[in-house]
Amino acid sequence: MVQEALRFYGVATVDAWERLWNDPKVAARRSDCFESLPGPASAWIRLGEIEAHKTPCDPYHKELFKRNLQKIREFTTESPASFIPRMQELCAEAGVALVFIPEMKKVPWNGATKWLSSEKAMIILNLRGKGEDLFWFSFFHEAGHVLTGKKQHLYIAEKHDDSPEEKKADAFASEILIPAKDNKRIAMIRSKAELLELADRLEISPGIVAGRYRHLTEKWEFYTDLTRKFSWA
């Protein structure tokens, strides 16, 4: 069993695993989950790595990735079955392997980002039980880390992380989905019809506008029927 586990992680010895995953200097150690449950936490990341290594990608191209993110934003009104293959294709074209790994018990992360080489980045996401607003925010948050983060770091989307790099990724995701200049109008929405009209003008899913409304107003029970829930097929 030990040999099979080491083979899964791509290391030869237990000491090598400790150095790779349990070293205090590793960026992932900032995560509470890595502190308390390094086994499940590292397994989820490793599953993503395995899938990402199997994903053919062109060399990373920052400007192309930026352009393709704008194209991906246009997919928000579609279903996962339709947009996921095209998301993955546009990411791979710019050197980013986008993979989907179901969340594991006690590892409830929305996403993670890691560079596999100087020319290939990895974004891990999951779909289970995720409202579309959270799913799309998580994707663009991780994309923000690819564009501006440090290549030697492993970034994990967790709650209650107020580090400058996480705030920067949050701001990137918010702005690309719905520019801040529209927040005032969103907060003043008074009907479902008004929300749908604004979503159409912004060319984005109504569920994302509804999510921004709830975030801005803290009226968490409003327009929940407009936000779709994604799940694994």
Side-chain angles (χ1 to χ4, degrees), residues 60-138:
Y60 178 64
H61 191 300
K62 185 174 183 177
E63 294 306 314
L64 178 59
F65 188 51
K66 287 181 180 178
R67 293 195 296 272
N68 284 358
L69 289 177
Q70 293 297 332
K71 295 179 182 178
I72 289 171
R73 183 190 180 278
E74 298 173 5
F75 300 161
T76 64
T77 58
E78 303 178 17
S79 68
S82 172
F83 68 66
I84 283 178
R86 287 182 290 159
M87 279 179 76
Q88 291 176 310
E89 181 180 349
L90 288 171
C91 286
E93 183 181 76
V96 180
L98 173 62
V99 297
F100 294 84
I101 305 297
E103 55 178 57
M104 299 172 64
K105 188 176 181 180
K106 299 182 180 179
V107 188
W109 295 331
N110 296 319
T113 300
K114 182 179 180 181
W115 284 85
L116 303 178
S117 72
S118 62
E119 294 189 333
K120 185 176 184 179
M122 168 187 73
I123 291 177
I124 311 175
L125 296 176
N126 72 70
L127 286 170
R128 187 180 303 277
K130 295 296 181 290
E132 60 183 315
D133 55 333
L134 178 56
F135 168 80
W136 285 109
F137 187 88
S138 297

Side-chain angles (χ1 to χ4, degrees), residues 126-199:
N126 72 70
L127 286 170
R128 187 180 303 277
K130 295 296 181 290
E132 60 183 315
D133 55 333
L134 178 56
F135 168 80
W136 285 109
F137 187 88
S138 297
F139 168 71
F140 286 112
H141 174 100
E142 300 306 329
H145 281 313
V146 172
L147 290 170
T148 64
K150 298 176 182 177
K151 289 189 175 183
Q152 67 270 31
H153 280 198
L154 165 61
Y155 294 99
I156 297 169
E158 292 189 290
K159 295 180 179 179
H160 314 304
D161 189 338
D162 293 327
S163 67
E165 289 179 307
E166 293 302 314
K167 288 182 178 179
K168 189 174 184 178
D170 280 349
F172 176 82
S174 294
E175 193 67 17
I176 196 171
L177 284 168
I178 303 175
K181 64 182 178 62
D182 293 301
N183 283 345
K184 184 175 180 180
R185 182 173 179 182
I186 291 173
M188 295 175 64
I189 287 173
R190 293 295 178 266
S191 70
K192 185 180 294 187
E194 187 178 347
L195 190 152
L196 293 172
E197 180 183 354
L198 180 57

Side-chain angles (χ1 to χ4, degrees), residues 41-53:
S42 61
W44 190 76
I45 297 297
R46 181 58 181 160
L47 286 169
E49 289 180 344
I50 291 170
E51 289 302 309
H53 279 300

